[in-house]
Amino acid sequence: MDSAGTLVALVGAAVLLWAALEKIRDPRLITSALHQLGFGALAALAAVLLIVVELAVGVALVLRPDLRATQVGVVVLAGAFALAGVVALRRELPIPCGCLGSASSGELGVNQLLAFVAWIGGVALISRSDTSALSPSERIDLLAIVVVSIAALRVVTIFDGWRQARGDRVSARETYTWLRR
């Protein structure tokens, strides 16, 4: 795969895998968003299906970006995200975005429409890339790099939370000592 196609596929895979893993970590956010989008009682099932598809397409973007099924998977996900953005824009109340789990702070809407354009452009670039240069073991190595990169980014957020919690513990200890006097 040429370097531009490789980079686009890896970035797309990382985004989808991160999103799926965050949804697994806290499925309430995406389930709530899907419920507000009109899935009702099927929101939990739709959330599980979304997670599975994001994981599958994310892995496929690294291992077999040349397959039409992988590219169709990206387009279907991007279309579903864009449709969610359109539905959210038509609702009276904003729908919090659970796209990237607790890391999401925005609302469904225009961002999903803009992302649709980026996803489609990425698929167009990948579809024109030469994938014959990578061996299966090199593709597995790239998947490992994506997974380790996600883990490294997650460690940074965990460390930040640990540091903040440490500050709270120190403050509580000082307050307790002060109250015992």
Side-chain angles (χ1 to χ4, degrees), residues 5 71 77:
Q71 297 164 15
L77 280 172

Side-chain angles (χ1 to χ4, degrees), residues 27-40 43 84 87-88 91 95-99 108:
R28 292 173 297 159
L29 296 170
I30 192 62
T31 302
S32 174
L34 289 168
H35 182 73
Q36 292 176 61
L37 286 168
F39 281 82
V87 170
R91 300 284 174 158
I95 300 174
C97 179
C99 306
L108 290 174

Side-chain angles (χ1 to χ4, degrees), residues 18-168:
W18 178 283
L21 293 172
E22 285 296 317
K23 287 177 183 89
I24 290 169
R25 196 170 69 81
D26 188 2
R28 292 173 297 159
L29 296 170
I30 192 62
T31 302
S32 174
L34 289 168
H35 182 73
Q36 292 176 61
L37 286 168
F39 281 82
L42 296 175
L45 179 62
V48 170
L49 180 62
L50 177 60
I51 291 167
V52 169
V53 172
E54 283 180 335
L55 286 170
V57 174
V59 170
L61 269 172
V62 179
L63 299 181
R64 290 304 306 267
D66 58 316
L67 289 180
R68 189 66 55 202
T70 300
Q71 297 164 15
V72 167
V74 173
V75 171
V76 166
L77 280 172
F81 300 153
L83 181 59
V86 169
V87 170
L89 288 171
R90 299 190 68 173
R91 300 284 174 158
E92 289 180 24
L93 296 175
I95 300 174
C97 179
C99 306
L100 296 172
S102 59
S104 301
S105 61
E107 298 167 350
L108 290 174
V110 175
N111 288 338
Q112 285 67 37
L113 299 174
L114 296 173
F116 179 76
V117 175
W119 283 111
I120 299 305
V123 168
L125 182 63
I126 291 168
S127 69
R128 292 190 197 112
S129 298
D130 176 24
T131 61
S132 61
L134 291 176
S135 70
S137 66
E138 290 172 321
R139 293 173 194 236
I140 294 292
D141 291 345
L142 288 175
L143 182 59
I145 289 168
V146 169
V147 170
V148 168
S149 297
I150 291 170
L153 289 172
R154 193 71 187 122
V155 165
V156 169
T157 60
I158 290 170
F159 180 74
D160 186 47
W162 173 82
R163 193 182 76 233
Q164 289 176 4
R166 182 184 179 284
D168 292 344

